[in-house]
Amino acid sequence: MQANPATPADTRFRRLREKGSRDFGLACRIIDAARMGHVGFTLARQPYVMPMALARDDSRLLLHGSVASRLMKNLKAGTLCCVTVTHLDGMVLARSAFNSSMHYRSVMVFGSARAITEPAEKRRCLDVLTEHLLPGRLADLRPPTRKELNATLLLSLPLETFTAKVSDGPPDDPRQDLEAGIWAGVIPFHTVPGEPQPAPDLDPAIPLPDYLREAGFR
Amino acid sequence: MQANPATPADTRFRRLREKGSRDFGLACRIIDAARMGHVGFTLARQPYVMPMALARDDSRLLLHGSVASRLMKNLKAGTLCCVTVTHLDGMVLARSAFNSSMHYRSVMVFGSARAITEPAEKRRCLDVLTEHLLPGRLADLRPPTRKELNATLLLSLPLETFTAKVSDGPPDDPRQDLEAGIWAGVIPFHTVPGEPQPAPDLDPAIPLPDYLREAGFR
């Protein structure tokens, strides 16, 4: 009989690796639940990680920013990048610091972005972004002007090379730690909208739209 | 008299740049309010962005992971990295998609990480991490074993070269958009703890600790 060679560290690390998944549906669900991601790329050997709003259009990510941004220009030039979307869903309190961890859902997408420049397609994809960030909002807004479209750089990144990871479940303590009399379990985290704050220049006669009320924005 | 040359795009971009700050106190407050960051580095020309738990110890960031992790080893070797901490605080709903944006607080820290290996210092810094992630928890936990310490790679990154950015305030619409009759304002986001979920192997006689109850973990 072979002894189990796994130390707690081995076990935990193996578990995390096993959770790495190429499941396209899982990756889509994680991305669709997010409004932003962290975009990493290298410029003159220095890595940069920037928070950016994002949305998914079928099997690609959409990112946008100012045409004046040096970092956006660098992405547009096709440099290799990594876009990571993470939801921190809770803390896993084990009986030891070593076995404590986090609940999270995360996707890392690898590839090269390219600009979407064809006017009708650019317009459609910006609408996808707007509608993703706040469903229902798009119908309220005036169309973008040509000047605004020209000032906006829209990028797409194929959702082809990616790793999705989900860490969930209760703490996993070795038997000898169970008798310590310490509370153990999971503290979930939720992101919730607060009370809407009307703009100072908002006409008080304009009510809160239904799509905000219905989405739980009170 | 000179005409104002700023288009809406120019204005917005200038505003964001001006918000970039080297204010150490501001960077500390943003980091101290976070439990995780996104760590970017380059490996064989490919950028990676990984979510990692973090804490601040005076003027440096602390990161930790498994000694078995290829990516941690790469960081330990002193490769250039960027650690970005972001809080998405809300959505700014302007009268147009173009002027809509996000409330956020963010810090980008640039540099090279190094391993903390001196045993007493390593132990102290791991305690800083544990106590930061859940204040009050540390006193409940048994000390780490030597095996656990050896399985843990602890890294520090100086909080020296960084940019802190804060985006807040109401939407800023051009005058001609104000008459459109559209609701505008800010939807704040809050992260709140949910109901604690006791581990399946928890002795029901063990109550929820005060530090969880008092921290609003119900």
Side-chain angles (χ1 to χ4, degrees):
Chain A
M1 195 184 99
Q2 204 187 344
N4 181 353
T7 66
D10 293 334
T11 309
R12 189 167 56 165
F13 186 59
R14 197 178 57 228
R15 198 169 66 215
L16 286 175
R17 272 187 304 177
E18 282 170 2
K19 282 173 182 163
S21 160
R22 267 74 181 170
D23 181 332
F24 180 74
L26 175 63
C28 290
R29 286 194 298 280
I30 295 171
I31 291 163
D32 292 352
R35 290 190 173 87
M36 58 160 281
H38 281 82
V39 181
F41 55 91
T42 312
L43 188 55
R45 293 187 50 240
Q46 173 63 57
Y48 288 78
V49 177
M50 292 180 61
M52 291 182 71
L54 55 69
R56 184 176 62 87
D57 177 48
D58 197 3
S59 60
R60 60 185 181 173
L61 296 184
L62 301 175
L63 304 165
H64 76 316
S66 166
V67 290
S69 156
R70 188 175 65 117
L71 302 177
M72 286 296 289
K73 280 182 200 160
N74 190 49
L75 283 174
K76 178 192 173 188
T79 185
L80 287 170
C81 68
C82 173
V83 178
T84 298
V85 170
T86 306
H87 304 275
L88 181 57
D89 292 326
M91 281 190 298
V92 182
L93 306 187
R95 278 82 171 181
S96 64
F98 185 74
N99 283 307
S100 298
S101 60
M102 304 279 198
H103 274 185
Y104 64 87
R105 290 163 291 152
S106 184
V107 184
M108 297 167 75
V109 185
F110 302 98
S112 292
R114 50 192 295 267
I116 297 173
T117 56
E118 196 279 315
E121 179 69 352
K122 183 172 181 178
R123 173 72 196 284
R124 184 188 70 77
C125 288
L126 286 171
D127 285 355
V128 167
L129 257 166
T130 299
E131 190 63 11
H132 169 70
L133 295 174
L134 210 158
R137 182 68 176 167
L138 183 64
D140 261 5
L141 301 176
R142 64 163 173 76
T145 65
R146 191 190 302 179
K147 197 171 181 179
E148 289 173 349
L149 289 170
N150 288 341
T152 303
L153 184 55
L154 176 68
L155 300 174
S156 72
L157 177 67
L159 186 50
E160 284 170 8
T161 309
F162 63 86
T163 306
K165 283 189 183 177
V166 176
S167 176
D168 53 15
D172 184 15
D173 287 292
R175 188 169 307 178
Q176 65 270 24
D177 279 345
L178 296 185
E179 307 302 317
I182 302 171
W183 191 89
V186 172
I187 307 287
F189 292 141
H190 304 291
T191 299
V192 297
E195 199 68 41
Q197 302 161 355
D201 55 12
L202 182 70
D203 176 350
I206 299 175
L208 194 69
D210 285 345
Y211 54 83
L212 290 178
R213 210 180 300 275
E214 286 162 9
F217 295 111
R218 284 177 231 178
Chain B
M1 197 184 98
Q2 206 187 344
N4 181 351
T7 66
D10 293 334
T11 310
R12 187 166 59 168
F13 186 57
R14 195 176 61 224
R15 198 170 66 216
L16 287 173
R17 273 187 302 176
E18 283 170 1
K19 281 172 183 164
S21 162
R22 268 73 181 170
D23 181 332
F24 181 75
L26 175 64
C28 290
R29 288 194 297 280
I30 294 172
I31 291 163
D32 292 352
R35 291 190 171 88
M36 57 160 281
H38 281 81
V39 181
F41 54 91
T42 311
L43 188 55
R45 293 187 52 239
Q46 174 64 57
Y48 289 79
V49 177
M50 293 181 60
M52 292 182 70
L54 55 70
R56 184 176 63 88
D57 177 49
D58 197 3
S59 60
R60 60 185 183 174
L61 296 184
L62 301 175
L63 303 165
H64 75 317
S66 166
V67 291
S69 157
R70 186 176 67 116
L71 301 178
M72 286 296 288
K73 280 181 199 159
N74 190 49
L75 282 175
K76 179 192 172 188
T79 184
L80 288 171
C81 68
C82 172
V83 178
T84 298
V85 171
T86 307
H87 304 276
L88 181 57
D89 292 326
M91 282 189 298
V92 181
L93 306 188
R95 278 81 170 182
S96 65
F98 185 73
N99 284 306
S100 298
S101 61
M102 304 278 198
H103 275 186
Y104 64 86
R105 289 162 293 153
S106 182
V107 183
M108 298 168 74
V109 185
F110 302 97
S112 292
R114 48 193 295 268
I116 297 173
T117 55
E118 196 280 314
E121 178 69 352
K122 182 173 181 176
R123 175 72 197 286
R124 184 188 69 78
C125 288
L126 286 171
D127 285 355
V128 167
L129 257 167
T130 299
E131 189 63 11
H132 168 69
L133 294 174
L134 211 159
R137 181 68 175 167
L138 182 64
D140 261 6
L141 301 176
R142 64 161 172 77
T145 65
R146 191 189 303 180
K147 196 171 181 179
E148 291 173 347
L149 289 172
N150 289 341
T152 303
L153 184 54
L154 177 68
L155 300 175
S156 71
L157 176 68
L159 184 50
E160 284 169 7
T161 308
F162 63 86
T163 306
K165 282 188 185 178
V166 176
S167 176
D168 54 14
D172 184 15
D173 287 292
R175 188 169 306 177
Q176 65 268 26
D177 279 346
L178 296 184
E179 305 303 316
I182 303 170
W183 192 90
V186 171
I187 307 287
F189 292 142
H190 305 290
T191 298
V192 297
E195 200 69 39
Q197 301 161 355
D201 56 13
L202 181 70
D203 177 350
I206 299 176
L208 193 69
D210 286 344
Y211 54 83
L212 289 178
R213 210 181 300 276
E214 286 161 10
F217 296 112
R218 282 176 236 186

PDB file of all heavy atoms in Angstrom, chain B residues 1 28 35 38 50 60 82 90-91 95 117 125 129 131 149-150 155 166-167 170 178 185 191 198-199 211-212:
ATOM      1  N   MET B   1     -10.459  86.783 -27.458  1.00  0.00           N
ATOM      2  CA  MET B   1     -10.949  85.657 -26.640  1.00  0.00           C
ATOM      3  C   MET B   1     -10.744  84.343 -27.379  1.00  0.00           C
ATOM      4  O   MET B   1     -11.061  84.231 -28.560  1.00  0.00           O
ATOM      5  CB  MET B   1     -12.448  85.870 -26.342  1.00  0.00           C
ATOM      6  CG  MET B   1     -12.936  85.016 -25.195  1.00  0.00           C
ATOM      7  SD  MET B   1     -14.726  85.215 -24.971  1.00  0.00           S
ATOM      8  CE  MET B   1     -15.336  83.767 -25.846  1.00  0.00           C
ATOM      9  N   CYS B  28      -2.448  53.998  -0.106  1.00  0.00           N
ATOM     10  CA  CYS B  28      -2.596  53.103   1.051  1.00  0.00           C
ATOM     11  C   CYS B  28      -4.068  52.859   1.367  1.00  0.00           C
ATOM     12  O   CYS B  28      -4.481  51.729   1.638  1.00  0.00           O
ATOM     13  CB  CYS B  28      -1.885  53.681   2.272  1.00  0.00           C
ATOM     14  SG  CYS B  28      -0.089  53.671   2.139  1.00  0.00           S
ATOM     15  N   ARG B  35      -9.069  43.222  -0.567  1.00  0.00           N
ATOM     16  CA  ARG B  35      -8.549  41.910  -0.168  1.00  0.00           C
ATOM     17  C   ARG B  35      -7.759  41.256  -1.294  1.00  0.00           C
ATOM     18  O   ARG B  35      -7.066  40.283  -1.072  1.00  0.00           O
ATOM     19  CB  ARG B  35      -9.688  40.990   0.252  1.00  0.00           C
ATOM     20  CG  ARG B  35     -10.344  41.399   1.548  1.00  0.00           C
ATOM     21  CD  ARG B  35     -11.297  40.329   2.027  1.00  0.00           C
ATOM     22  NE  ARG B  35     -11.772  40.638   3.372  1.00  0.00           N
ATOM     23  CZ  ARG B  35     -12.846  41.399   3.619  1.00  0.00           C
ATOM     24  NH1 ARG B  35     -13.546  41.890   2.632  1.00  0.00           N
ATOM     25  NH2 ARG B  35     -13.214  41.635   4.860  1.00  0.00           N
ATOM     26  N   HIS B  38      -4.839  42.396  -8.872  1.00  0.00           N
ATOM     27  CA  HIS B  38      -4.518  41.661 -10.094  1.00  0.00           C
ATOM     28  C   HIS B  38      -3.046  41.871 -10.407  1.00  0.00           C
ATOM     29  O   HIS B  38      -2.602  43.007 -10.567  1.00  0.00           O
ATOM     30  CB  HIS B  38      -5.414  42.108 -11.242  1.00  0.00           C
ATOM     31  CG  HIS B  38      -6.784  41.492 -11.175  1.00  0.00           C
ATOM     32  ND1 HIS B  38      -7.784  41.988 -10.364  1.00  0.00           N
ATOM     33  CD2 HIS B  38      -7.303  40.378 -11.776  1.00  0.00           C
ATOM     34  CE1 HIS B  38      -8.875  41.218 -10.503  1.00  0.00           C
ATOM     35  NE2 HIS B  38      -8.605  40.235 -11.354  1.00  0.00           N
ATOM     36  N   MET B  50      -3.118  37.720 -12.919  1.00  0.00           N
ATOM     37  CA  MET B  50      -3.664  36.763 -11.952  1.00  0.00           C
ATOM     38  C   MET B  50      -4.274  37.463 -10.744  1.00  0.00           C
ATOM     39  O   MET B  50      -3.631  38.327 -10.151  1.00  0.00           O
ATOM     40  CB  MET B  50      -2.540  35.876 -11.421  1.00  0.00           C
ATOM     41  CG  MET B  50      -1.941  34.954 -12.433  1.00  0.00           C
ATOM     42  SD  MET B  50      -0.682  33.985 -11.591  1.00  0.00           S
ATOM     43  CE  MET B  50      -1.671  33.162 -10.335  1.00  0.00           C
ATOM     44  N   ARG B  60       5.114  48.466   1.561  1.00  0.00           N
ATOM     45  CA  ARG B  60       5.252  47.407   0.566  1.00  0.00           C
ATOM     46  C   ARG B  60       3.980  46.569   0.537  1.00  0.00           C
ATOM     47  O   ARG B  60       3.239  46.509   1.514  1.00  0.00           O
ATOM     48  CB  ARG B  60       6.463  46.529   0.854  1.00  0.00           C
ATOM     49  CG  ARG B  60       6.396  45.848   2.208  1.00  0.00           C
ATOM     50  CD  ARG B  60       7.686  45.098   2.481  1.00  0.00           C
ATOM     51  NE  ARG B  60       7.596  44.380   3.745  1.00  0.00           N
ATOM     52  CZ  ARG B  60       8.525  43.542   4.189  1.00  0.00           C
ATOM     53  NH1 ARG B  60       9.609  43.318   3.472  1.00  0.00           N
ATOM     54  NH2 ARG B  60       8.378  42.926   5.346  1.00  0.00           N
ATOM     55  N   CYS B  82       3.316  44.359 -12.363  1.00  0.00           N
ATOM     56  CA  CYS B  82       2.388  45.444 -12.065  1.00  0.00           C
ATOM     57  C   CYS B  82       1.249  44.853 -11.257  1.00  0.00           C
ATOM     58  O   CYS B  82       0.631  43.878 -11.687  1.00  0.00           O
ATOM     59  CB  CYS B  82       1.859  46.046 -13.360  1.00  0.00           C
ATOM     60  SG  CYS B  82       0.532  47.261 -13.133  1.00  0.00           S
ATOM     61  N   GLY B  90     -19.277  52.290  -8.651  1.00  0.00           N
ATOM     62  CA  GLY B  90     -20.590  52.658  -9.157  1.00  0.00           C
ATOM     63  C   GLY B  90     -20.564  52.950 -10.640  1.00  0.00           C
ATOM     64  O   GLY B  90     -19.512  52.928 -11.280  1.00  0.00           O
ATOM     65  N   MET B  91     -21.747  53.198 -11.155  1.00  0.00           N
ATOM     66  CA  MET B  91     -21.882  53.565 -12.557  1.00  0.00           C
ATOM     67  C   MET B  91     -22.382  54.991 -12.656  1.00  0.00           C
ATOM     68  O   MET B  91     -23.274  55.398 -11.915  1.00  0.00           O
ATOM     69  CB  MET B  91     -22.875  52.643 -13.252  1.00  0.00           C
ATOM     70  CG  MET B  91     -22.247  51.290 -13.577  1.00  0.00           C
ATOM     71  SD  MET B  91     -23.330  50.330 -14.621  1.00  0.00           S
ATOM     72  CE  MET B  91     -24.723  50.173 -13.514  1.00  0.00           C
ATOM     73  N   ARG B  95     -26.326  61.407 -19.986  1.00  0.00           N
ATOM     74  CA  ARG B  95     -27.409  61.400 -20.987  1.00  0.00           C
ATOM     75  C   ARG B  95     -26.980  60.727 -22.285  1.00  0.00           C
ATOM     76  O   ARG B  95     -27.815  60.499 -23.166  1.00  0.00           O
ATOM     77  CB  ARG B  95     -27.872  62.816 -21.300  1.00  0.00           C
ATOM     78  CG  ARG B  95     -28.869  63.417 -20.303  1.00  0.00           C
ATOM     79  CD  ARG B  95     -28.181  63.942 -19.091  1.00  0.00           C
ATOM     80  NE  ARG B  95     -29.056  64.737 -18.220  1.00  0.00           N
ATOM     81  CZ  ARG B  95     -28.636  65.316 -17.113  1.00  0.00           C
ATOM     82  NH1 ARG B  95     -27.372  65.166 -16.715  1.00  0.00           N
ATOM     83  NH2 ARG B  95     -29.466  66.001 -16.366  1.00  0.00           N
ATOM     84  N   THR B 117      12.172  35.516   3.112  1.00  0.00           N
ATOM     85  CA  THR B 117      12.549  34.152   3.491  1.00  0.00           C
ATOM     86  C   THR B 117      13.000  34.043   4.943  1.00  0.00           C
ATOM     87  O   THR B 117      12.967  32.957   5.508  1.00  0.00           O
ATOM     88  CB  THR B 117      13.695  33.640   2.594  1.00  0.00           C
ATOM     89  OG1 THR B 117      14.777  34.572   2.678  1.00  0.00           O
ATOM     90  CG2 THR B 117      13.243  33.529   1.144  1.00  0.00           C
ATOM     91  N   CYS B 125       4.923  38.528   8.518  1.00  0.00           N
ATOM     92  CA  CYS B 125       4.224  39.064   7.347  1.00  0.00           C
ATOM     93  C   CYS B 125       3.024  38.191   6.957  1.00  0.00           C
ATOM     94  O   CYS B 125       1.999  38.712   6.501  1.00  0.00           O
ATOM     95  CB  CYS B 125       5.191  39.214   6.180  1.00  0.00           C
ATOM     96  SG  CYS B 125       6.352  40.579   6.436  1.00  0.00           S
ATOM     97  N   LEU B 129      -0.910  39.411   6.632  1.00  0.00           N
ATOM     98  CA  LEU B 129      -1.865  39.028   5.580  1.00  0.00           C
ATOM     99  C   LEU B 129      -3.149  38.454   6.190  1.00  0.00           C
ATOM    100  O   LEU B 129      -4.258  38.877   5.838  1.00  0.00           O
ATOM    101  CB  LEU B 129      -1.233  37.967   4.674  1.00  0.00           C
ATOM    102  CG  LEU B 129      -0.727  38.414   3.306  1.00  0.00           C
ATOM    103  CD1 LEU B 129       0.150  37.331   2.693  1.00  0.00           C
ATOM    104  CD2 LEU B 129      -1.873  38.757   2.351  1.00  0.00           C
ATOM    105  N   GLU B 131      -4.386  38.754   9.162  1.00  0.00           N
ATOM    106  CA  GLU B 131      -5.153  39.716   9.954  1.00  0.00           C
ATOM    107  C   GLU B 131      -5.790  40.777   9.069  1.00  0.00           C
ATOM    108  O   GLU B 131      -6.885  41.273   9.371  1.00  0.00           O
ATOM    109  CB  GLU B 131      -4.234  40.349  11.012  1.00  0.00           C
ATOM    110  CG  GLU B 131      -4.944  41.200  12.033  1.00  0.00           C
ATOM    111  CD  GLU B 131      -5.945  40.436  12.916  1.00  0.00           C
ATOM    112  OE1 GLU B 131      -5.966  39.190  12.892  1.00  0.00           O
ATOM    113  OE2 GLU B 131      -6.718  41.124  13.624  1.00  0.00           O
ATOM    114  N   LEU B 149       4.869  26.601   6.300  1.00  0.00           N
ATOM    115  CA  LEU B 149       5.688  27.773   5.963  1.00  0.00           C
ATOM    116  C   LEU B 149       6.571  27.476   4.754  1.00  0.00           C
ATOM    117  O   LEU B 149       6.729  28.319   3.872  1.00  0.00           O
ATOM    118  CB  LEU B 149       6.539  28.191   7.170  1.00  0.00           C
ATOM    119  CG  LEU B 149       5.758  28.826   8.331  1.00  0.00           C
ATOM    120  CD1 LEU B 149       6.661  29.017   9.546  1.00  0.00           C
ATOM    121  CD2 LEU B 149       5.160  30.177   7.905  1.00  0.00           C
ATOM    122  N   ASN B 150       7.108  26.268   4.713  1.00  0.00           N
ATOM    123  CA  ASN B 150       7.979  25.908   3.592  1.00  0.00           C
ATOM    124  C   ASN B 150       7.210  25.777   2.280  1.00  0.00           C
ATOM    125  O   ASN B 150       7.782  25.925   1.205  1.00  0.00           O
ATOM    126  CB  ASN B 150       8.718  24.600   3.882  1.00  0.00           C
ATOM    127  CG  ASN B 150       9.786  24.782   4.944  1.00  0.00           C
ATOM    128  OD1 ASN B 150      10.223  25.897   5.204  1.00  0.00           O
ATOM    129  ND2 ASN B 150      10.187  23.675   5.569  1.00  0.00           N
ATOM    130  N   LEU B 155       5.944  37.000  -1.024  1.00  0.00           N
ATOM    131  CA  LEU B 155       6.643  38.011  -1.817  1.00  0.00           C
ATOM    132  C   LEU B 155       6.294  39.411  -1.320  1.00  0.00           C
ATOM    133  O   LEU B 155       5.184  39.647  -0.827  1.00  0.00           O
ATOM    134  CB  LEU B 155       6.229  37.904  -3.291  1.00  0.00           C
ATOM    135  CG  LEU B 155       6.500  36.572  -3.990  1.00  0.00           C
ATOM    136  CD1 LEU B 155       5.914  36.598  -5.401  1.00  0.00           C
ATOM    137  CD2 LEU B 155       8.000  36.302  -4.047  1.00  0.00           C
ATOM    138  N   VAL B 166      -8.720  58.081  -8.760  1.00  0.00           N
ATOM    139  CA  VAL B 166     -10.068  58.041  -8.216  1.00  0.00           C
ATOM    140  C   VAL B 166     -10.987  58.722  -9.207  1.00  0.00           C
ATOM    141  O   VAL B 166     -10.709  59.837  -9.649  1.00  0.00           O
ATOM    142  CB  VAL B 166     -10.149  58.767  -6.860  1.00  0.00           C
ATOM    143  CG1 VAL B 166     -11.584  58.804  -6.357  1.00  0.00           C
ATOM    144  CG2 VAL B 166      -9.239  58.097  -5.838  1.00  0.00           C
ATOM    145  N   SER B 167     -12.033  58.045  -9.596  1.00  0.00           N
ATOM    146  CA  SER B 167     -13.051  58.656 -10.444  1.00  0.00           C
ATOM    147  C   SER B 167     -14.338  58.726  -9.640  1.00  0.00           C
ATOM    148  O   SER B 167     -14.863  57.691  -9.216  1.00  0.00           O
ATOM    149  CB  SER B 167     -13.235  57.831 -11.721  1.00  0.00           C
ATOM    150  OG  SER B 167     -14.286  58.386 -12.484  1.00  0.00           O
ATOM    151  N   PRO B 170     -20.592  63.492 -10.178  1.00  0.00           N
ATOM    152  CA  PRO B 170     -21.782  63.247 -11.005  1.00  0.00           C
ATOM    153  C   PRO B 170     -21.434  63.217 -12.492  1.00  0.00           C
ATOM    154  O   PRO B 170     -20.319  63.566 -12.867  1.00  0.00           O
ATOM    155  CB  PRO B 170     -22.653  64.473 -10.681  1.00  0.00           C
ATOM    156  CG  PRO B 170     -21.674  65.560 -10.345  1.00  0.00           C
ATOM    157  CD  PRO B 170     -20.506  64.866  -9.684  1.00  0.00           C
ATOM    158  N   LEU B 178     -28.852  68.219 -21.951  1.00  0.00           N
ATOM    159  CA  LEU B 178     -29.612  68.296 -20.695  1.00  0.00           C
ATOM    160  C   LEU B 178     -31.117  68.311 -20.909  1.00  0.00           C
ATOM    161  O   LEU B 178     -31.890  67.950 -20.021  1.00  0.00           O
ATOM    162  CB  LEU B 178     -29.205  69.533 -19.894  1.00  0.00           C
ATOM    163  CG  LEU B 178     -27.756  69.568 -19.405  1.00  0.00           C
ATOM    164  CD1 LEU B 178     -27.517  70.796 -18.533  1.00  0.00           C
ATOM    165  CD2 LEU B 178     -27.417  68.295 -18.632  1.00  0.00           C
ATOM    166  N   GLY B 185     -27.498  60.246 -13.362  1.00  0.00           N
ATOM    167  CA  GLY B 185     -27.010  60.229 -11.987  1.00  0.00           C
ATOM    168  C   GLY B 185     -26.029  59.090 -11.789  1.00  0.00           C
ATOM    169  O   GLY B 185     -25.437  58.582 -12.741  1.00  0.00           O
ATOM    170  N   THR B 191     -20.087  46.313  -1.682  1.00  0.00           N
ATOM    171  CA  THR B 191     -19.849  44.892  -1.439  1.00  0.00           C
ATOM    172  C   THR B 191     -20.199  44.606   0.013  1.00  0.00           C
ATOM    173  O   THR B 191     -19.676  45.257   0.917  1.00  0.00           O
ATOM    174  CB  THR B 191     -18.390  44.524  -1.716  1.00  0.00           C
ATOM    175  OG1 THR B 191     -18.129  44.790  -3.090  1.00  0.00           O
ATOM    176  CG2 THR B 191     -18.148  43.044  -1.448  1.00  0.00           C
ATOM    177  N   PRO B 198     -21.653  27.929   8.011  1.00  0.00           N
ATOM    178  CA  PRO B 198     -20.764  27.081   8.816  1.00  0.00           C
ATOM    179  C   PRO B 198     -20.294  25.867   8.007  1.00  0.00           C
ATOM    180  O   PRO B 198     -21.042  25.336   7.181  1.00  0.00           O
ATOM    181  CB  PRO B 198     -21.660  26.642   9.980  1.00  0.00           C
ATOM    182  CG  PRO B 198     -22.799  27.610   9.998  1.00  0.00           C
ATOM    183  CD  PRO B 198     -23.001  28.051   8.586  1.00  0.00           C
ATOM    184  N   ALA B 199     -19.052  25.452   8.246  1.00  0.00           N
ATOM    185  CA  ALA B 199     -18.518  24.263   7.573  1.00  0.00           C
ATOM    186  C   ALA B 199     -19.350  23.044   7.964  1.00  0.00           C
ATOM    187  O   ALA B 199     -19.837  22.952   9.099  1.00  0.00           O
ATOM    188  CB  ALA B 199     -17.054  24.069   7.965  1.00  0.00           C
ATOM    189  N   TYR B 211     -15.668  38.730  16.271  1.00  0.00           N
ATOM    190  CA  TYR B 211     -15.053  39.560  15.221  1.00  0.00           C
ATOM    191  C   TYR B 211     -15.793  39.413  13.897  1.00  0.00           C
ATOM    192  O   TYR B 211     -15.713  40.280  13.047  1.00  0.00           O
ATOM    193  CB  TYR B 211     -13.555  39.268  15.065  1.00  0.00           C
ATOM    194  CG  TYR B 211     -13.202  37.819  14.823  1.00  0.00           C
ATOM    195  CD1 TYR B 211     -13.263  37.264  13.548  1.00  0.00           C
ATOM    196  CD2 TYR B 211     -12.797  37.010  15.873  1.00  0.00           C
ATOM    197  CE1 TYR B 211     -12.940  35.941  13.333  1.00  0.00           C
ATOM    198  CE2 TYR B 211     -12.476  35.684  15.671  1.00  0.00           C
ATOM    199  CZ  TYR B 211     -12.555  35.151  14.397  1.00  0.00           C
ATOM    200  OH  TYR B 211     -12.247  33.833  14.183  1.00  0.00           O
ATOM    201  N   LEU B 212     -16.494  38.295  13.713  1.00  0.00           N
ATOM    202  CA  LEU B 212     -17.321  38.170  12.505  1.00  0.00           C
ATOM    203  C   LEU B 212     -18.642  38.904  12.690  1.00  0.00           C
ATOM    204  O   LEU B 212     -19.116  39.594  11.794  1.00  0.00           O
ATOM    205  CB  LEU B 212     -17.585  36.695  12.189  1.00  0.00           C
ATOM    206  CG  LEU B 212     -16.378  35.913  11.678  1.00  0.00           C
ATOM    207  CD1 LEU B 212     -16.746  34.457  11.443  1.00  0.00           C
ATOM    208  CD2 LEU B 212     -15.859  36.527  10.380  1.00  0.00           C
TER     209      LEU B 212
END
